[in-house]
Amino acid sequence: MFNIILFGPPGSGKGTQSELLINNFGLTHISTGDVLRSEIEGGTKLGIEAKKYMDDGQLVPDEVVIGMIEELVRNNKEAKGFIFDGFPRTTAQAAALDAFLAANNMPIDVLVSLDVPEEELKTRLIERGKVSGRSDDNAEVILQRIQEYYNKTKAVEDHYAAQSKLAKIEGVGSVESIASSIAKVIERLTPVK
Ligand code: B4P
């Protein structure tokens, strides 16, 4: 089993790179952002609650996303590994994920952190906002999301660095060249494709 966290600020390319990893390595993709958006679309109680935070560019409360992740992992017992995309986003989420995975004997192998300068993040998300229809892809909310990343999420890097599991990747360049850098990290850690 191989478990990877794709990490980085909003717009760093986590979702984009996850798509390629699913195809290349056959890992099961868990994106908290995607799950939350589908809950919003379905008009569920969880979705209605989450929307209040997402529309303001804030993180959804830890207890909501932690429970969601544990259920998704439990429902995918046959997976040969997971890509955690957009989770964990706080050190409390990281500690909960570590404890849950340790109890199931399936630790995280690596956290790949995509490094992208703030100006580039804003440009990408404003561009995406023109076509995505996402209510959180507008200039004001984008700034709030980036702020939230530096205030609450960036520390997750240190959490995994302390476990010698941090791999930093240059997140600017072609999608293919970034995918190839991530693939090299994975191949170094696991001989089996
Ligand atoms: P997410 O859905 O995780 O969204 P994201 O951070 O905006 O996107 P990502 O980094 O995946 O960017 P993408 O590949 O699309 O989160 C949305 C919200 O959900 C959060 O703000 C929060 O409220 C909530 N949430 C989610 N998880 C949570 C958690 N664990 N705890 C609490 N709250 C949570 O790339 C962006 C754009 O860049 C795209 O248009 C793409 O085409 C472009 N792009 C990608 N790679 C590029 C490259 N190399 N060059 C140029 N452009 C590129």
Coordinates of all heavy atoms in Angstrom, one line a residue, residues 6-98:
L6 N -1.2 15.1 -1.1 CA -0.8 16.2 -2.1 C -1.2 17.5 -1.4 O -2.3 17.7 -1.0 CB -1.6 16.1 -3.4 CG -0.8 15.5 -4.5 CD1 -1.6 15.7 -5.8 CD2 0.6 16.0 -4.7
F7 N -0.2 18.3 -1.2 CA -0.3 19.5 -0.3 C 0.1 20.7 -1.0 O 1.0 20.7 -1.9 CB 0.6 19.2 0.9 CG 0.5 20.2 2.0 CD1 -0.5 20.2 2.9 CD2 1.5 21.3 2.1 CE1 -0.5 21.2 3.9 CE2 1.4 22.2 3.1 CZ 0.4 22.2 4.0
G8 N -0.5 21.9 -0.6 CA -0.1 23.1 -1.2 C -1.2 24.1 -1.0 O -2.3 23.8 -0.6
P9 N -0.9 25.4 -1.2 CA -1.9 26.5 -1.1 C -3.0 26.3 -2.1 O -2.9 25.5 -3.1 CB -1.1 27.7 -1.3 CG 0.1 27.4 -2.0 CD 0.4 25.9 -1.6
P10 N -4.1 27.0 -2.0 CA -5.2 27.0 -2.9 C -4.7 27.3 -4.3 O -4.0 28.3 -4.5 CB -6.2 28.0 -2.5 CG -5.8 28.4 -1.1 CD -4.4 28.0 -0.9
G11 N -5.0 26.5 -5.3 CA -4.6 26.8 -6.7 C -3.2 26.3 -7.0 O -2.7 26.6 -8.1
S12 N -2.6 25.6 -6.1 CA -1.2 25.1 -6.4 C -1.2 23.9 -7.3 O -0.1 23.5 -7.8 CB -0.5 24.7 -5.0 OG -1.3 23.8 -4.3
G13 N -2.4 23.3 -7.6 CA -2.4 22.2 -8.6 C -2.6 20.9 -8.0 O -2.4 19.9 -8.6
K14 N -3.1 20.8 -6.7 CA -3.4 19.5 -6.1 C -4.4 18.7 -6.9 O -4.1 17.5 -7.2 CB -3.9 19.7 -4.7 CG -3.0 20.6 -3.8 CD -3.6 20.7 -2.4 CE -4.8 21.6 -2.3 NZ -4.6 23.0 -2.5
G15 N -5.5 19.3 -7.2 CA -6.5 18.6 -8.0 C -6.0 18.2 -9.4 O -6.2 17.0 -9.8
T16 N -5.3 19.1 -10.0 CA -4.8 18.8 -11.4 C -3.8 17.6 -11.3 O -3.9 16.7 -12.1 CB -4.0 20.1 -11.9 OG1 -4.9 21.2 -11.8 CG2 -3.5 19.9 -13.3
Q17 N -2.9 17.6 -10.4 CA -1.9 16.6 -10.3 C -2.5 15.3 -9.8 O -2.0 14.2 -10.2 CB -0.7 17.0 -9.4 CG 0.1 18.1 -9.9 CD 0.8 17.8 -11.3 OE1 1.1 16.6 -11.5 NE2 1.0 18.8 -12.1
S18 N -3.5 15.3 -9.0 CA -4.2 14.1 -8.5 C -4.7 13.3 -9.7 O -4.6 12.1 -9.7 CB -5.3 14.4 -7.6 OG -4.9 14.9 -6.4
E19 N -5.3 14.0 -10.7 CA -5.9 13.3 -11.8 C -4.8 12.4 -12.5 O -5.1 11.3 -12.9 CB -6.4 14.3 -12.8 CG -7.6 15.1 -12.4 CD -8.8 14.2 -12.0 OE1 -9.0 13.2 -12.8 OE2 -9.5 14.4 -11.0
L20 N -3.6 13.0 -12.6 CA -2.5 12.3 -13.3 C -2.0 11.1 -12.5 O -1.7 10.0 -13.0 CB -1.4 13.2 -13.7 CG -1.7 14.4 -14.6 CD1 -0.6 15.3 -14.7 CD2 -2.1 13.8 -16.0
L21 N -2.0 11.3 -11.2 CA -1.5 10.2 -10.3 C -2.5 9.1 -10.3 O -2.0 7.9 -10.2 CB -1.4 10.8 -8.8 CG -0.2 11.6 -8.5 CD1 -0.3 12.1 -7.1 CD2 1.1 10.8 -8.8
I22 N -3.8 9.3 -10.4 CA -4.8 8.2 -10.4 C -4.5 7.4 -11.6 O -4.4 6.2 -11.5 CB -6.2 8.8 -10.5 CG1 -6.5 9.8 -9.4 CG2 -7.2 7.7 -10.6 CD1 -7.8 10.6 -9.6
N23 N -4.3 8.0 -12.8 CA -4.0 7.3 -14.0 C -2.7 6.5 -13.9 O -2.6 5.4 -14.3 CB -4.0 8.2 -15.2 CG -5.4 8.9 -15.4 OD1 -6.4 8.3 -15.0 ND2 -5.4 10.0 -16.0
N24 N -1.7 7.2 -13.4 CA -0.3 6.6 -13.5 C 0.0 5.6 -12.5 O 0.8 4.6 -12.7 CB 0.8 7.7 -13.4 CG 0.7 8.6 -14.6 OD1 0.1 8.3 -15.6 ND2 1.3 9.8 -14.5
F25 N -0.6 5.7 -11.3 CA -0.3 4.8 -10.2 C -1.5 4.0 -9.6 O -1.3 3.2 -8.7 CB 0.4 5.6 -9.0 CG 1.7 6.1 -9.4 CD1 1.9 7.4 -9.9 CD2 2.9 5.3 -9.3 CE1 3.1 7.9 -10.3 CE2 4.1 5.8 -9.7 CZ 4.2 7.1 -10.2
G26 N -2.7 4.2 -10.1 CA -3.8 3.4 -9.7 C -4.2 3.6 -8.3 O -4.7 2.7 -7.6
L27 N -3.9 4.8 -7.8 CA -4.2 5.1 -6.4 C -5.7 5.7 -6.3 O -6.2 6.2 -7.3 CB -3.3 6.1 -5.8 CG -1.8 5.7 -5.7 CD1 -0.9 6.9 -5.3 CD2 -1.6 4.5 -4.8
T28 N -6.3 5.5 -5.1 CA -7.7 6.0 -4.9 C -7.6 7.4 -4.4 O -6.9 7.7 -3.5 CB -8.4 5.1 -3.9 OG1 -8.5 3.8 -4.5 CG2 -9.8 5.6 -3.6
H29 N -8.3 8.3 -5.1 CA -8.3 9.7 -4.9 C -9.3 10.1 -3.9 O -10.5 9.9 -4.0 CB -8.5 10.4 -6.2 CG -8.5 11.9 -6.1 ND1 -9.3 12.7 -7.0 CD2 -7.8 12.8 -5.4 CE1 -9.0 14.0 -6.7 NE2 -8.1 14.0 -5.8
I30 N -8.9 10.8 -2.8 CA -9.9 11.4 -1.9 C -9.6 12.9 -1.8 O -8.6 13.3 -1.3 CB -9.7 10.8 -0.5 CG1 -10.1 9.3 -0.5 CG2 -10.6 11.5 0.5 CD1 -10.1 8.6 0.8
S31 N -10.5 13.7 -2.3 CA -10.4 15.2 -2.3 C -11.5 15.7 -1.4 O -12.7 15.5 -1.7 CB -10.6 15.7 -3.7 OG -11.0 17.1 -3.6
T32 N -11.1 16.3 -0.3 CA -12.1 16.8 0.7 C -12.9 18.0 0.0 O -14.1 18.1 0.2 CB -11.5 17.3 2.0 OG1 -10.3 17.9 1.7 CG2 -11.4 16.2 3.0
G33 N -12.2 18.8 -0.9 CA -12.9 19.8 -1.6 C -14.0 19.3 -2.5 O -15.2 19.7 -2.5
D34 N -13.7 18.2 -3.3 CA -14.7 17.6 -4.1 C -15.9 17.0 -3.4 O -17.0 17.2 -3.7 CB -14.1 16.4 -5.0 CG -13.1 16.9 -6.1 OD1 -13.1 18.2 -6.3 OD2 -12.4 16.1 -6.7
V35 N -15.5 16.3 -2.2 CA -16.6 15.7 -1.5 C -17.5 16.8 -0.9 O -18.7 16.7 -0.9 CB -16.0 14.8 -0.3 CG1 -17.2 14.3 0.5 CG2 -15.2 13.7 -0.9
L36 N -16.9 17.9 -0.4 CA -17.7 19.0 0.2 C -18.6 19.6 -0.9 O -19.8 19.9 -0.7 CB -16.8 20.0 0.8 CG -16.1 19.6 2.1 CD1 -15.0 20.6 2.5 CD2 -17.1 19.4 3.3
R37 N -18.0 19.8 -2.1 CA -18.8 20.4 -3.2 C -20.0 19.5 -3.6 O -21.1 20.0 -3.9 CB -17.9 20.8 -4.4 CG -17.1 22.1 -4.2 CD -16.4 22.5 -5.4 NE -15.2 21.6 -5.7 CZ -14.0 21.8 -5.1 NH1 -13.8 22.7 -4.2 NH2 -13.0 20.9 -5.3
S38 N -19.7 18.2 -3.5 CA -20.8 17.3 -3.9 C -21.9 17.3 -2.8 O -23.1 17.1 -3.1 CB -20.3 15.9 -4.4 OG -20.3 15.0 -3.3
E39 N -21.5 17.4 -1.6 CA -22.5 17.5 -0.5 C -23.3 18.8 -0.7 O -24.5 18.8 -0.4 CB -21.8 17.6 0.9 CG -21.1 16.3 1.2 CD -22.0 15.2 1.8 OE1 -23.1 15.5 2.2 OE2 -21.6 14.0 1.7
I40 N -22.6 19.9 -1.1 CA -23.4 21.2 -1.3 C -24.4 21.0 -2.4 O -25.5 21.4 -2.3 CB -22.4 22.3 -1.6 CG1 -21.5 22.7 -0.4 CG2 -23.1 23.6 -2.1 CD1 -20.4 23.7 -0.7
E41 N -23.9 20.4 -3.5 CA -24.8 20.2 -4.7 C -26.0 19.3 -4.3 O -27.1 19.5 -4.8 CB -24.0 19.4 -5.8 CG -24.3 20.0 -7.1 CD -23.2 19.6 -8.1 OE1 -22.1 20.2 -8.2 OE2 -23.4 18.5 -8.7
G42 N -25.8 18.3 -3.4 CA -26.8 17.4 -3.0 C -27.8 18.1 -2.0 O -28.7 17.4 -1.6
G43 N -27.4 19.2 -1.5 CA -28.2 19.9 -0.5 C -28.3 19.2 0.8 O -29.3 19.4 1.5
T44 N -27.3 18.4 1.2 CA -27.3 17.7 2.4 C -27.1 18.7 3.6 O -26.6 19.8 3.4 CB -26.2 16.6 2.5 OG1 -24.9 17.3 2.5 CG2 -26.3 15.7 1.3
K45 N -27.3 18.2 4.8 CA -27.1 19.0 6.0 C -25.6 19.4 6.1 O -25.3 20.5 6.4 CB -27.5 18.1 7.2 CG -27.7 18.9 8.5 CD -28.4 18.0 9.5 CE -28.2 18.7 10.9 NZ -27.3 17.9 11.8
L46 N -24.8 18.4 5.8 CA -23.3 18.7 5.9 C -22.9 19.7 4.9 O -22.2 20.7 5.1 CB -22.5 17.4 5.6 CG -21.1 17.3 5.9 CD1 -20.6 15.9 6.1 CD2 -20.2 17.9 4.8
G47 N -23.5 19.6 3.6 CA -23.2 20.6 2.6 C -23.7 22.0 2.9 O -23.0 23.0 2.7
I48 N -24.9 22.1 3.5 CA -25.4 23.4 3.9 C -24.5 24.1 4.9 O -24.1 25.3 4.8 CB -26.9 23.3 4.4 CG1 -27.8 22.9 3.2 CG2 -27.4 24.6 5.0 CD1 -29.1 22.4 3.6
E49 N -24.0 23.3 5.9 CA -23.1 23.8 6.9 C -21.8 24.2 6.3 O -21.2 25.3 6.5 CB -22.9 22.6 7.9 CG -22.0 22.9 9.1 CD -22.6 24.0 10.0 OE1 -23.8 24.3 9.9 OE2 -21.8 24.5 10.8
A50 N -21.2 23.3 5.4 CA -19.9 23.5 4.8 C -19.9 24.8 3.9 O -18.9 25.6 3.9 CB -19.5 22.3 4.0
K51 N -21.0 25.0 3.2 CA -21.1 26.1 2.3 C -20.8 27.5 2.9 O -20.2 28.4 2.4 CB -22.4 26.1 1.5 CG -22.5 27.1 0.4 CD -23.8 26.9 -0.4 CE -24.1 28.0 -1.3 NZ -23.1 28.7 -2.0
K52 N -21.3 27.6 4.2 CA -21.1 28.9 4.9 C -19.7 29.2 5.0 O -19.3 30.4 4.9 CB -21.7 28.7 6.3 CG -23.2 28.6 6.4 CD -23.7 28.7 7.8 CE -24.4 27.4 8.3 NZ -24.5 27.2 9.7
Y53 N -18.9 28.2 5.3 CA -17.4 28.4 5.5 C -16.7 28.6 4.1 O -15.9 29.5 3.9 CB -16.8 27.2 6.2 CG -17.3 27.1 7.6 CD1 -18.4 26.2 7.9 CD2 -16.7 27.8 8.7 CE1 -18.9 26.1 9.2 CE2 -17.2 27.6 10.0 CZ -18.3 26.8 10.2 OH -18.8 26.7 11.5
M54 N -17.1 27.8 3.2 CA -16.4 27.8 1.9 C -16.6 29.1 1.1 O -15.7 29.6 0.5 CB -16.7 26.5 1.0 CG -16.2 25.3 1.7 SD -16.9 23.8 1.0 CE -16.0 23.7 -0.6
D55 N -17.8 29.6 1.2 CA -18.1 30.8 0.5 C -17.4 32.0 1.1 O -17.2 33.0 0.4 CB -19.6 31.1 0.5 CG -20.4 30.3 -0.5 OD1 -19.7 29.6 -1.3 OD2 -21.6 30.3 -0.6
D56 N -17.0 31.9 2.3 CA -16.2 32.9 3.0 C -14.7 32.7 2.9 O -13.9 33.4 3.5 CB -16.6 33.0 4.5 CG -17.8 33.8 4.7 OD1 -18.3 34.5 3.7 OD2 -18.4 33.7 5.8
G57 N -14.3 31.6 2.2 CA -12.9 31.3 2.1 C -12.3 30.7 3.4 O -11.0 30.7 3.5
Q58 N -13.1 30.2 4.3 CA -12.6 29.7 5.5 C -12.6 28.1 5.4 O -13.3 27.5 4.7 CB -13.5 30.1 6.7 CG -13.3 31.5 7.0 CD -14.3 32.0 8.0 OE1 -15.1 31.3 8.6 NE2 -14.4 33.3 8.2
L59 N -11.8 27.6 6.3 CA -11.8 26.1 6.4 C -13.1 25.6 7.1 O -13.6 26.3 8.0 CB -10.6 25.6 7.2 CG -9.2 25.9 6.6 CD1 -8.1 25.3 7.5 CD2 -9.1 25.3 5.2
V60 N -13.5 24.5 6.6 CA -14.7 23.8 7.3 C -14.2 23.2 8.6 O -13.0 22.8 8.7 CB -15.2 22.7 6.3 CG1 -16.3 21.9 6.9 CG2 -15.7 23.4 5.0
P61 N -15.0 23.2 9.6 CA -14.5 22.7 10.9 C -13.9 21.3 10.9 O -14.4 20.4 10.1 CB -15.7 22.7 11.8 CG -16.6 23.7 11.2 CD -16.4 23.7 9.7
D62 N -12.8 21.1 11.7 CA -12.1 19.8 11.6 C -13.0 18.6 11.8 O -12.8 17.6 11.1 CB -11.0 19.8 12.8 CG -9.8 20.7 12.5 OD1 -9.6 21.1 11.3 OD2 -9.1 21.1 13.4
E63 N -13.9 18.7 12.8 CA -14.7 17.5 13.1 C -15.5 17.0 11.9 O -15.7 15.8 11.7 CB -15.5 17.6 14.3 CG -16.5 18.8 14.3 CD -15.9 20.1 14.8 OE1 -14.6 20.2 14.8 OE2 -16.7 21.0 15.1
V64 N -15.9 18.0 11.0 CA -16.7 17.6 9.9 C -15.8 16.8 8.9 O -16.2 15.7 8.4 CB -17.3 18.9 9.2 CG1 -18.0 18.5 7.9 CG2 -18.2 19.6 10.1
V65 N -14.7 17.4 8.5 CA -13.8 16.7 7.5 C -13.2 15.5 8.0 O -13.0 14.5 7.2 CB -12.8 17.7 6.9 CG1 -13.4 18.6 5.9 CG2 -12.1 18.5 7.9
I66 N -12.8 15.4 9.3 CA -12.2 14.2 9.8 C -13.1 13.0 9.7 O -12.7 11.9 9.2 CB -11.7 14.4 11.3 CG1 -10.5 15.4 11.3 CG2 -11.2 13.1 11.9 CD1 -10.1 15.9 12.6
G67 N -14.3 13.2 10.1 CA -15.3 12.1 10.1 C -15.5 11.7 8.6 O -15.7 10.5 8.3
M68 N -15.6 12.7 7.7 CA -15.8 12.4 6.3 C -14.7 11.5 5.7 O -14.9 10.5 5.0 CB -15.7 13.7 5.6 CG -16.8 14.1 4.7 SD -16.7 15.8 4.2 CE -15.1 15.9 3.3
I69 N -13.4 11.8 6.0 CA -12.3 11.1 5.5 C -12.3 9.7 6.1 O -12.0 8.7 5.3 CB -11.0 11.8 6.0 CG1 -10.7 13.1 5.2 CG2 -9.8 10.9 5.9 CD1 -10.1 12.8 3.8
E70 N -12.5 9.5 7.3 CA -12.5 8.2 7.9 C -13.5 7.3 7.2 O -13.3 6.1 6.9 CB -12.7 8.3 9.4 CG -11.6 9.0 10.1 CD -11.6 9.0 11.7 OE1 -12.6 8.5 12.2 OE2 -10.6 9.5 12.2
E71 N -14.7 7.8 7.0 CA -15.7 7.1 6.3 C -15.3 6.7 4.9 O -15.5 5.5 4.4 CB -17.0 7.9 6.2 CG -18.2 7.0 5.8 CD -19.5 7.9 5.7 OE1 -19.6 8.9 6.4 OE2 -20.3 7.5 4.8
L72 N -14.7 7.6 4.2 CA -14.2 7.3 2.8 C -13.1 6.2 2.8 O -13.1 5.3 1.9 CB -13.7 8.6 2.1 CG -14.7 9.6 1.7 CD1 -14.1 10.9 1.4 CD2 -15.5 9.0 0.5
V73 N -12.2 6.3 3.7 CA -11.2 5.2 3.8 C -11.8 3.9 4.1 O -11.5 2.9 3.4 CB -10.1 5.6 4.8 CG1 -9.1 4.5 5.0 CG2 -9.3 6.9 4.4
R74 N -12.7 3.9 5.1 CA -13.4 2.6 5.4 C -14.1 2.0 4.3 O -14.2 0.8 4.1 CB -14.3 2.9 6.6 CG -13.7 2.7 7.9 CD -14.8 2.6 9.0 NE -14.3 3.3 10.2 CZ -14.7 4.6 10.5 NH1 -15.7 5.2 9.8 NH2 -14.2 5.2 11.5
N75 N -14.7 2.9 3.4 CA -15.5 2.4 2.3 C -14.7 2.0 1.1 O -15.2 1.6 0.1 CB -16.5 3.5 1.8 CG -17.6 3.7 2.8 OD1 -17.8 2.9 3.7 ND2 -18.2 4.9 2.7
N76 N -13.3 2.1 1.2 CA -12.5 1.7 0.1 C -11.4 0.7 0.5 O -10.2 0.9 0.3 CB -11.8 3.0 -0.5 CG -12.7 3.8 -1.4 OD1 -13.0 3.4 -2.5 ND2 -13.3 4.8 -0.9
K77 N -11.9 -0.3 1.2 CA -10.9 -1.3 1.8 C -10.0 -2.0 0.7 O -8.9 -2.4 1.0 CB -11.7 -2.4 2.5 CG -12.3 -1.9 3.8 CD -12.4 -3.0 4.9 CE -12.5 -2.5 6.3 NZ -13.7 -1.7 6.5
E78 N -10.5 -2.0 -0.5 CA -9.7 -2.7 -1.6 C -8.6 -1.8 -2.2 O -7.8 -2.3 -3.0 CB -10.6 -3.3 -2.6 CG -11.3 -2.3 -3.6 CD -12.2 -1.3 -2.9 OE1 -12.7 -1.5 -1.8 OE2 -12.5 -0.3 -3.6
A79 N -8.6 -0.6 -1.8 CA -7.6 0.4 -2.5 C -6.2 -0.1 -2.3 O -5.8 -0.6 -1.2 CB -7.8 1.8 -1.9
K80 N -5.4 0.2 -3.3 CA -4.0 -0.2 -3.2 C -3.2 1.0 -2.6 O -2.0 0.9 -2.3 CB -3.4 -0.7 -4.5 CG -3.3 0.3 -5.6 CD -2.8 -0.5 -6.8 CE -1.6 0.3 -7.4 NZ -1.1 -0.2 -8.7
G81 N -3.9 2.1 -2.3 CA -3.2 3.2 -1.7 C -4.1 4.5 -2.0 O -5.0 4.4 -2.8
F82 N -3.9 5.5 -1.2 CA -4.7 6.7 -1.3 C -3.9 7.9 -1.7 O -2.8 8.1 -1.3 CB -5.5 7.0 0.0 CG -6.5 6.0 0.3 CD1 -6.2 4.9 1.1 CD2 -7.8 6.1 -0.2 CE1 -7.2 3.9 1.5 CE2 -8.8 5.1 0.1 CZ -8.4 4.0 0.9
I83 N -4.5 8.8 -2.5 CA -4.0 10.2 -2.6 C -5.0 11.1 -1.8 O -6.1 11.2 -2.1 CB -4.1 10.7 -4.1 CG1 -3.5 9.8 -5.0 CG2 -3.6 12.1 -4.2 CD1 -3.9 10.1 -6.5
F84 N -4.4 11.7 -0.7 CA -5.2 12.6 0.1 C -5.0 14.0 -0.5 O -3.9 14.5 -0.5 CB -4.8 12.5 1.5 CG -5.2 11.2 2.2 CD1 -4.2 10.2 2.3 CD2 -6.5 10.9 2.6 CE1 -4.5 9.0 2.9 CE2 -6.8 9.7 3.1 CZ -5.8 8.7 3.3
D85 N -6.0 14.6 -1.1 CA -5.9 15.8 -1.8 C -6.7 16.9 -1.1 O -7.9 16.8 -1.0 CB -6.5 15.6 -3.2 CG -6.8 16.9 -4.0 OD1 -6.6 18.0 -3.5 OD2 -7.4 16.7 -5.1
G86 N -6.0 17.8 -0.5 CA -6.6 18.9 0.3 C -6.9 18.5 1.7 O -7.6 19.2 2.4
F87 N -6.3 17.4 2.2 CA -6.5 16.9 3.5 C -5.2 16.2 3.9 O -4.7 15.5 3.1 CB -7.7 15.9 3.6 CG -7.9 15.4 5.0 CD1 -8.8 16.1 5.9 CD2 -7.2 14.3 5.5 CE1 -9.0 15.6 7.2 CE2 -7.4 13.9 6.8 CZ -8.3 14.5 7.6
P88 N -4.6 16.5 5.1 CA -5.1 17.4 6.2 C -4.7 18.8 5.9 O -3.8 19.2 5.2 CB -4.3 16.9 7.4 CG -3.1 16.2 6.9 CD -3.4 15.7 5.5
R89 N -5.6 19.7 6.4 CA -5.4 21.2 6.2 C -5.1 21.9 7.5 O -5.0 23.1 7.6 CB -6.6 21.8 5.5 CG -6.4 22.1 4.1 CD -7.8 22.6 3.5 NE -7.7 23.4 2.3 CZ -7.9 22.9 1.1 NH1 -8.1 21.6 0.9 NH2 -7.9 23.7 0.1
T90 N -5.1 21.1 8.6 CA -4.7 21.7 9.9 C -3.9 20.6 10.6 O -4.0 19.4 10.3 CB -5.9 22.0 10.8 OG1 -6.6 20.8 11.1 CG2 -6.9 23.0 10.2
T91 N -3.1 21.0 11.7 CA -2.3 20.0 12.4 C -3.3 19.1 13.1 O -2.9 17.9 13.3 CB -1.3 20.7 13.3 OG1 -2.0 21.7 14.1 CG2 -0.2 21.3 12.6
A92 N -4.4 19.6 13.6 CA -5.4 18.7 14.2 C -5.9 17.6 13.3 O -6.0 16.4 13.6 CB -6.6 19.5 14.8
Q93 N -6.1 18.0 12.0 CA -6.5 17.0 11.0 C -5.4 16.0 10.7 O -5.6 14.8 10.6 CB -6.9 17.7 9.7 CG -8.2 18.5 9.7 CD -8.5 19.1 8.4 OE1 -8.0 18.8 7.3 NE2 -9.4 20.1 8.4
A94 N -4.1 16.5 10.7 CA -3.0 15.6 10.5 C -2.9 14.6 11.6 O -2.6 13.4 11.4 CB -1.7 16.5 10.4
A95 N -3.0 15.1 12.9 CA -2.9 14.1 14.0 C -4.0 13.1 13.9 O -3.8 11.9 14.2 CB -3.0 14.9 15.3
A96 N -5.2 13.5 13.6 CA -6.3 12.6 13.5 C -6.1 11.6 12.4 O -6.4 10.4 12.5 CB -7.6 13.3 13.3
L97 N -5.6 12.0 11.2 CA -5.3 11.1 10.1 C -4.2 10.1 10.5 O -4.4 8.9 10.3 CB -4.8 11.9 8.9 CG -4.6 11.1 7.6 CD1 -5.8 10.4 7.1 CD2 -3.9 11.9 6.5
D98 N -3.1 10.6 11.1 CA -2.1 9.7 11.5 C -2.6 8.6 12.5 O -2.3 7.4 12.3 CB -1.0 10.4 12.3 CG -0.1 11.3 11.4 OD1 -0.3 11.3 10.1 OD2 0.7 12.1 11.9

